[in-house]
Amino acid sequence: MAPAVAGGGGRRNNEGVNGNAAAPACVCGFPVCACAGAAAVASAASSADMDIVAAGQIGAVNDESWVAVDLSDSDDAPAAGVVQGALDDRPVFRTEKIKGVLLHPYRVLIFVRLIAFTLFVIWRIEHKNPDAMWLWVTSIAGEFWFGFSWLLDQLPKLNPINRVPDLAVLRRRFDHADGTSSLPGLDIFVTTADPIKEPILSTANSILSILAADYPVDRNTCYLSDDSGMLLTYEAMAEAAKFATLWVPFCRKHAIEPRGPESYFELKSHPYMGRAQEEFVNDRRRVRKEYDDFKARINGLEHDIKQRSDSYNAAAGVKDGEPRATWMADGSQWEGTWIEQSENHRKGDHAGIVLVLLNHPSHARQLGPPASADNPLDFSGVDVRLPMLVYVAREKRPGCNHQKKAGAMNALTRASAVLSNSPFILNLDCDHYINNSQALRAGICFMLGRDSDTVAFVQFPQRFEGVDPTDLYANHNRIFFDGTLRALDGLQGPIYVGTGCLFRRITLYGFEPPRINVGGPCFPRLGGMFAKNRYQKPGFEMTKPGAKPVAPPPAATVAKGKHGFLPMPKKAYGKSDAFADTIPRASHPSPYAAEAAVAADEAAIAEAVMVTAAAYEKKTGWGSDIGWVYGTVTEDVVTGYRMHIKGWRSRYCSIYPHAFIGTAPINLTERLFQVLRWSTGSLEIFFSRNNPLFGSTFLHPLQRVAYINITTYPFTALFLIFYTTVPALSFVTGHFIVQRPTTMFYVYLAIVLGTLLILAVLEVKWAGVTVFEWFRNGQFWMTASCSAYLAAVLQVVTKVVFRRDISFKLTSKLPAGDEKKDPYADLYVVRWTWLMITPIIIILVNIIGSAVAFAKVLDGEWTHWLKVAGGVFFNFWVLFHLYPFAKGILGKHGKTPVVVLVWWAFTFVITAVLYINIPHIHGPGRHGAASPSHGHHSAHGTKKYDFTYAWP
């Protein structure tokens, strides 16, 4: 039966759904179809959600809401006029304001610090240093930049908010008593590029957690993109699919959390959520044994494939010097990369492959068998269906630019459209698994609420396991995720930062939102100046509540507008008519309707292979106006930016237990290269046509500030290196940044530093992070600025000037240490890289500078040691921030702090002794009061070397 379309005005929180009228069925098979002019409606129950007003009350839906679509069966649908319970009246998510006791002082202190910093800079400009003008000019430029970058970081944090999904309401609204659900379809993309650097067992665990997630089985499809094209990855996924027939029903039966088997079996305690404790113990013991066997098979796959291939090649009479094929278990040659690579079968040169490992399940529940001799686990009351699982290795050919991860994501987008065409897409890295089985439902809540039809993507925070308890290199980065992204959620939304992001598919096709208001909850009137409300586009028409259902037009009149129901010419999407036909249907809430069931037949698979061809994107809009954007190594940031400048919004979803957990590179070298890649990509965006300075007026003003900060922060390295070296060298040269400070200088400096600390405390409070995490973040910021940021600036300048491409190696997640003896052994494995040179120089300069100052005081060259104390304190402040870096390049676990301190003290003492005992370094007359010339030097030196240091 076709779903009913709600008529009449928006309902109040105590009103039922009145005036339901059955919409005539359309030939396309969807309840809300492009034929009727109401495409792009992914939020099926958007008008059922209520407004959250400032006082926290539930208000009525305004007149611009989309028409609600009841996707439930007729038996479950409430009768007209029946008053719904309180659960039905609640929105699927709620918005919570930050407490005023934290937010109001936070905003005031930002303003106070801005004024104090301005007065401080004015004082610095008025008090020049005639003895070293170059030093004065450079320091003023640095202080301007530090103040500007601080302002860029703080302004977008004026309106942080919390959004909380309500899963109970979601279940009540979309799940039915017969076990079926009307939740929209979801395609999950997992990408991997090298089964060696990205351990294949980790990828298998990610796939298993996806298959076991609590989401309707027939609405969930998993795609694995293998850019290596190796048989090892495919057979590992085949093994995972077999083990999933046991693991997934086990998780459903006993409500297992987390649903990644490796993480689950590593838990020290197993809180049981089911009813039969004894049965659970027996089932767990059996599943654990099967998982150990599964791991053994995964670890032995490489040897098995080679042995099998050698046998087949020997049987085929392959001679030495001839290409030796890699063979699959069914006796056919692998079309991808061979073990012994040859023409048409090597990395970067192989055919496209699309293989369905698990077919699309039936729509009805399928209960498992009872316990028996062959099957000791009782699954008689458990749905044993598995989601669809597809392996994709896109075609690669020499001479084609395959665009790395962005190209793989675009290929998956096209292949998935041909096979399943779900309205939503979730992308995960291969080392990330679903830690909370409700994560998918939580993300969907933000796509189905009121006004959620203008939400392009939902970004989850990135959480990591395997990080040392002290988080030496700030891998968790919670200041950014729980501070910056949470604050942006109060504007136009968080930026897209890669893995763990849920997309609305049509946003990747270049569609614009149905209406645009960039003001957001922070400055609605300010944003209204740039707003474009009720924006209409072919295929994006708003339907007013109360409008009568429109009969589907004839097939000949379906296409309307310049490009029909496409936002761009059809040729911009490629030469596949089958793919182009999926675009108007991509927004529908139920692509798995009976009339449009998923069909992974030979024709569909052949079409999927065709749209992943290496030459498919030539002379198309892919990578520029469609899909993930090319031209930068941080395709995630620029892709989200392109959506925001069109007026789309995004939302931040942080839940506990954490939604997804991944693996972080805890080794210092890998961490620095990771930051280098990010910072280089940010600068590439700044020097491209996607520079946020020139974005459209649909971008929220403070959102633009956030993007400017994201694309310019590596420039901080140029000034920070000056400030971490020149003050220390000033002890040797005698020229200082500030020559003669006054009382007002100290007052301004105290206010600037004091407000900075108070702001940090308040931010820690509303962001929900710890002071230690904030401090560790600052330490690694110093390390990254002195190494990776500087290298990024140099690389991008070289690229812009000399037109040279920048290449990066894949970040290795394979531990180098002995994890059995020490799980954090890789943390202390030293892999030298040129990125370490600058921090080492800064450490030595600050130690030597402090030692020289100490020697001059002991030698009597400087009699007023209190005037030296400020500079020496600043030097030790720099050293303290670089302590984690020094700890990473010296010593082993447990002994490193002592080693670092001993080396610092040794260098300090040696430098001071050498300075005192080598006369030509500091000139004649070092014997104190016995030398008249020394006394004269000290008397004048008191005035000459009167100094302090300024740090904005």
PDB file of all heavy atoms in Angstrom, residues 30 135 170 716 745 880 951:
ATOM      1  N   PHE A  30       8.230   5.105  -5.740  1.00  0.00           N
ATOM      2  CA  PHE A  30       8.603   5.763  -4.502  1.00  0.00           C
ATOM      3  C   PHE A  30       7.456   6.606  -3.991  1.00  0.00           C
ATOM      4  O   PHE A  30       6.717   7.209  -4.762  1.00  0.00           O
ATOM      5  CB  PHE A  30       9.835   6.652  -4.712  1.00  0.00           C
ATOM      6  CG  PHE A  30      11.077   5.877  -4.983  1.00  0.00           C
ATOM      7  CD1 PHE A  30      11.566   5.745  -6.264  1.00  0.00           C
ATOM      8  CD2 PHE A  30      11.766   5.270  -3.956  1.00  0.00           C
ATOM      9  CE1 PHE A  30      12.709   5.031  -6.520  1.00  0.00           C
ATOM     10  CE2 PHE A  30      12.913   4.552  -4.198  1.00  0.00           C
ATOM     11  CZ  PHE A  30      13.388   4.426  -5.476  1.00  0.00           C
ATOM     12  N   LEU A 135      65.046  43.486  14.443  1.00  0.00           N
ATOM     13  CA  LEU A 135      64.467  42.644  15.487  1.00  0.00           C
ATOM     14  C   LEU A 135      63.118  43.174  15.911  1.00  0.00           C
ATOM     15  O   LEU A 135      62.150  42.416  16.106  1.00  0.00           O
ATOM     16  CB  LEU A 135      65.433  42.582  16.669  1.00  0.00           C
ATOM     17  CG  LEU A 135      65.085  41.606  17.800  1.00  0.00           C
ATOM     18  CD1 LEU A 135      65.092  40.186  17.290  1.00  0.00           C
ATOM     19  CD2 LEU A 135      66.071  41.773  18.951  1.00  0.00           C
ATOM     20  N   LEU A 170      13.344   7.707  17.500  1.00  0.00           N
ATOM     21  CA  LEU A 170      13.635   7.169  16.168  1.00  0.00           C
ATOM     22  C   LEU A 170      13.042   5.777  16.004  1.00  0.00           C
ATOM     23  O   LEU A 170      12.442   5.457  14.970  1.00  0.00           O
ATOM     24  CB  LEU A 170      15.143   7.140  15.948  1.00  0.00           C
ATOM     25  CG  LEU A 170      15.595   6.784  14.532  1.00  0.00           C
ATOM     26  CD1 LEU A 170      15.398   7.981  13.606  1.00  0.00           C
ATOM     27  CD2 LEU A 170      17.051   6.333  14.515  1.00  0.00           C
ATOM     28  N   THR A 716      51.946  29.923  10.917  1.00  0.00           N
ATOM     29  CA  THR A 716      52.423  30.219  12.270  1.00  0.00           C
ATOM     30  C   THR A 716      53.866  29.786  12.454  1.00  0.00           C
ATOM     31  O   THR A 716      54.606  30.378  13.250  1.00  0.00           O
ATOM     32  CB  THR A 716      51.520  29.511  13.297  1.00  0.00           C
ATOM     33  OG1 THR A 716      50.167  29.956  13.119  1.00  0.00           O
ATOM     34  CG2 THR A 716      51.958  29.815  14.718  1.00  0.00           C
ATOM     35  N   PHE A 745      53.543  48.211  30.130  1.00  0.00           N
ATOM     36  CA  PHE A 745      53.904  47.006  29.373  1.00  0.00           C
ATOM     37  C   PHE A 745      53.586  45.757  30.183  1.00  0.00           C
ATOM     38  O   PHE A 745      52.985  44.807  29.684  1.00  0.00           O
ATOM     39  CB  PHE A 745      55.385  47.051  29.006  1.00  0.00           C
ATOM     40  CG  PHE A 745      55.899  45.761  28.433  1.00  0.00           C
ATOM     41  CD1 PHE A 745      55.748  45.475  27.091  1.00  0.00           C
ATOM     42  CD2 PHE A 745      56.516  44.809  29.235  1.00  0.00           C
ATOM     43  CE1 PHE A 745      56.208  44.288  26.557  1.00  0.00           C
ATOM     44  CE2 PHE A 745      56.982  43.617  28.714  1.00  0.00           C
ATOM     45  CZ  PHE A 745      56.825  43.357  27.367  1.00  0.00           C
ATOM     46  N   PHE A 880      60.035  23.218  27.817  1.00  0.00           N
ATOM     47  CA  PHE A 880      58.996  22.405  28.435  1.00  0.00           C
ATOM     48  C   PHE A 880      57.972  21.964  27.405  1.00  0.00           C
ATOM     49  O   PHE A 880      57.453  20.842  27.462  1.00  0.00           O
ATOM     50  CB  PHE A 880      58.332  23.204  29.555  1.00  0.00           C
ATOM     51  CG  PHE A 880      57.448  22.366  30.428  1.00  0.00           C
ATOM     52  CD1 PHE A 880      57.964  21.298  31.140  1.00  0.00           C
ATOM     53  CD2 PHE A 880      56.092  22.642  30.544  1.00  0.00           C
ATOM     54  CE1 PHE A 880      57.157  20.525  31.956  1.00  0.00           C
ATOM     55  CE2 PHE A 880      55.283  21.869  31.343  1.00  0.00           C
ATOM     56  CZ  PHE A 880      55.816  20.816  32.058  1.00  0.00           C
ATOM     57  N   TRP A 951      54.999  38.027  24.697  1.00  0.00           N
ATOM     58  CA  TRP A 951      54.395  36.852  24.025  1.00  0.00           C
ATOM     59  C   TRP A 951      52.889  37.030  23.997  1.00  0.00           C
ATOM     60  O   TRP A 951      52.222  36.962  25.009  1.00  0.00           O
ATOM     61  CB  TRP A 951      54.763  35.594  24.789  1.00  0.00           C
ATOM     62  CG  TRP A 951      54.373  34.372  24.029  1.00  0.00           C
ATOM     63  CD1 TRP A 951      53.274  33.603  24.240  1.00  0.00           C
ATOM     64  CD2 TRP A 951      55.068  33.808  22.930  1.00  0.00           C
ATOM     65  NE1 TRP A 951      53.241  32.586  23.339  1.00  0.00           N
ATOM     66  CE2 TRP A 951      54.334  32.681  22.526  1.00  0.00           C
ATOM     67  CE3 TRP A 951      56.216  34.117  22.235  1.00  0.00           C
ATOM     68  CZ2 TRP A 951      54.720  31.883  21.468  1.00  0.00           C
ATOM     69  CZ3 TRP A 951      56.598  33.316  21.194  1.00  0.00           C
ATOM     70  CH2 TRP A 951      55.865  32.226  20.822  1.00  0.00           C
TER      71      TRP A 951
END
